[in-house]
Amino acid sequence: NVMLRVLYDPDSFFSEYKDGFKIPIAIVSLSGVIGAIISYLNLPKMIEMLQQFPIERSQMEIVIEIIKIQAIVSPIIGAFVGWILITLIVHALSALFGGEGNLSNTLKYTSFSFLPQIVLSPLSYYYYSPTPTAPLMILGLASTIWQAYIL
């Protein structure tokens, strides 16, 4: 599939990619939705950790409700904010090193750097922990390197 080529041969993929914003928006949206699903499914782990703190029951219920909303909304909003920030950083670095091109194309192309997060999401769910663990750090590093390769 031509779309999958971006994961292992981004240079040739981007040299041929001429579509609009439908696919980039779908990728970033999917990344945010998957992040929200993973957060929601892991709410019991978050709540269990939270219950270790000495908080009154009524306050705990309020905090849990806030965490539920945050777990769903933050990954979706974060995906789009991250997309914009990554785009601005990549565009600025490109311009600094003599790159030419417009911000619109950079925005389209940086969306594809979200694909490794989507591909690795089953492992992210499996190894999820509210606190840092070795598997999560290795997974995060692998995802970051893969994203950098695409960028």
Side-chain angles (χ1 to χ4, degrees):
N1 188 345
V2 174
M3 287 301 296
L4 292 178
R5 197 170 71 213
V6 71
L7 296 172
Y8 60 87
D9 188 12
D11 284 341
S12 65
F13 173 80
F14 290 127
S15 68
E16 296 172 13
Y17 185 80
K18 304 293 183 233
D19 291 339
F21 276 95
K22 286 181 184 176
I23 292 172
I25 290 171
I27 290 170
V28 176
S29 298
L30 182 60
S31 175
V33 168
I34 288 173
I37 290 168
I38 289 172
S39 290
Y40 182 78
L41 292 175
N42 285 299
L43 274 172
K45 292 179 185 177
M46 287 188 254
I47 292 169
E48 180 182 322
M49 188 184 87
L50 185 64
Q51 290 175 336
Q52 296 173 8
F53 297 99
I55 301 174
E56 290 182 29
R57 184 175 176 88
S58 61
Q59 291 175 330
M60 180 66 76
E61 290 173 5
I62 293 170
V63 170
I64 288 171
E65 288 304 311
I66 291 170
I67 288 174
K68 285 179 182 177
I69 294 167
Q70 179 270 338
I72 295 168
V73 174
S74 291
I76 295 169
I77 294 172
F80 284 94
V81 171
W83 182 26
I84 292 167
L85 291 175
I86 290 169
T87 297
L88 293 174
I89 291 168
V90 167
H91 197 73
L93 287 173
S94 176
L96 188 66
F97 289 101
E100 296 177 9
N102 61 44
L103 190 59
S104 176
N105 282 338
T106 307
L107 186 64
K108 277 191 270 189
Y109 297 157
T110 56
S111 68
F112 289 92
S113 71
F114 284 73
L115 287 173
Q117 292 174 327
I118 294 168
V119 170
L120 297 174
S121 63
L123 292 173
S124 297
Y125 171 70
Y126 180 77
Y127 289 112
Y128 178 83
S129 171
T131 57
T133 62
L136 273 180
M137 290 189 283
I138 292 168
L139 190 59
L141 180 62
S143 179
T144 300
I145 290 169
W146 198 358
Q147 287 174 306
Y149 174 70
I150 291 172
L151 290 173

